[in-house]
Amino acid sequence: MREAVSPSATGRVEIVSMEPSDWPDVRRIYVQGIATGQATFETGAPDWEAWDASHRPECRFVARRAGRIVGWIALSAVSRRHVYRGVAEVSVYVAEEARGNGLGRALFERLIPAAEAAGIWTIQAGVMAQNEASLRLHERAGFRRVGVRHGFGQDAAGTWRDVVLLERRSRVVGV
């Protein structure tokens, strides 16, 4: 399914389902996020097979502008237990050249209805406390802060970092 959106200052952007052939660009953007030291504790991107196995196929999208992938969003299960089948964790990454122009919001606007169609009642996120832009993005997408995990993980330099736990409850599924 295709959906065109026009975030301000980004030009025409198309949000489409992610295909395996998109992986090199998705990986490139993920590596850019890793390099910030604010997006994840990971120090390298996995190969396609590992990434593919850990993300829900019906809830992964890319944003294309002028034919180039400039962002992506995807959900992964938080547990294999049946009682948590409707809970997923979100990852959202925007290319360096496309940040700050509403692209993250457009990705969430495409993901949320797809997640609800897939039976997801809670989307959660863990965002490093210093990543103010990501915290704002999640809150604008309807997430609320539910707590802080103090010293939750070590970054590449060995510094213990706090992670803000956010969640978005569906108004459609599980109500």
Side-chain angles (χ1 to χ4, degrees), residues 10 32 65 70-71 94-104:
T10 63
Q32 289 176 355
R65 182 176 61 205
V70 292
V94 175
E96 289 173 338
E97 69 273 13
R99 293 180 188 151
N101 293 301
L103 188 58

Side-chain angles (χ1 to χ4, degrees), residues 4-21:
V5 297
S6 295
S8 63
T10 63
R12 188 163 181 82
V13 172
E14 190 176 42
I15 310 289
V16 298
S17 294
M18 185 186 296
E19 300 293 333
S21 60

Side-chain angles (χ1 to χ4, degrees), residues 113-126:
E116 291 175 334
I120 302 297
W121 60 76
T122 300
I123 302 173
Q124 70 179 34

Side-chain angles (χ1 to χ4, degrees), residues 3-110:
E3 181 177 318
V5 297
S6 295
S8 63
T10 63
R12 188 163 181 82
V13 172
E14 190 176 42
I15 310 289
V16 298
S17 294
M18 185 186 296
E19 300 293 333
S21 60
D22 296 328
W23 176 244
D25 287 322
V26 168
R27 185 182 186 285
R28 171 184 54 82
I29 294 166
Y30 187 37
V31 168
Q32 289 176 355
I34 291 169
T36 68
Q38 301 294 324
T40 179
F41 290 110
E42 296 293 338
T43 57
D47 62 20
W48 165 250
E49 291 74 20
W51 191 92
D52 181 48
S54 65
H55 290 81
R56 296 179 62 118
E58 73 279 23
C59 294
R60 44 173 100 156
F61 301 95
V62 295
R64 284 197 176 93
R65 182 176 61 205
R68 181 170 165 83
I69 294 175
V70 292
W72 62 271
I73 195 165
L75 293 182
S76 55
V78 299
S79 175
R80 291 180 187 219
R81 294 177 61 193
H82 183 72
V83 296
Y84 298 118
R85 68 193 176 282
V87 182
E89 182 157 355
V90 68
S91 296
V92 58
Y93 287 82
V94 175
E96 289 173 338
E97 69 273 13
R99 293 180 188 151
N101 293 301
L103 188 58
R105 179 75 181 255
L107 285 162
F108 269 116
E109 288 172 358
R110 180 67 180 91

Side-chain angles (χ1 to χ4, degrees), residues 153-161:
Q154 283 183 298
D155 62 20
T159 304
W160 289 97
R161 304 280 296 274

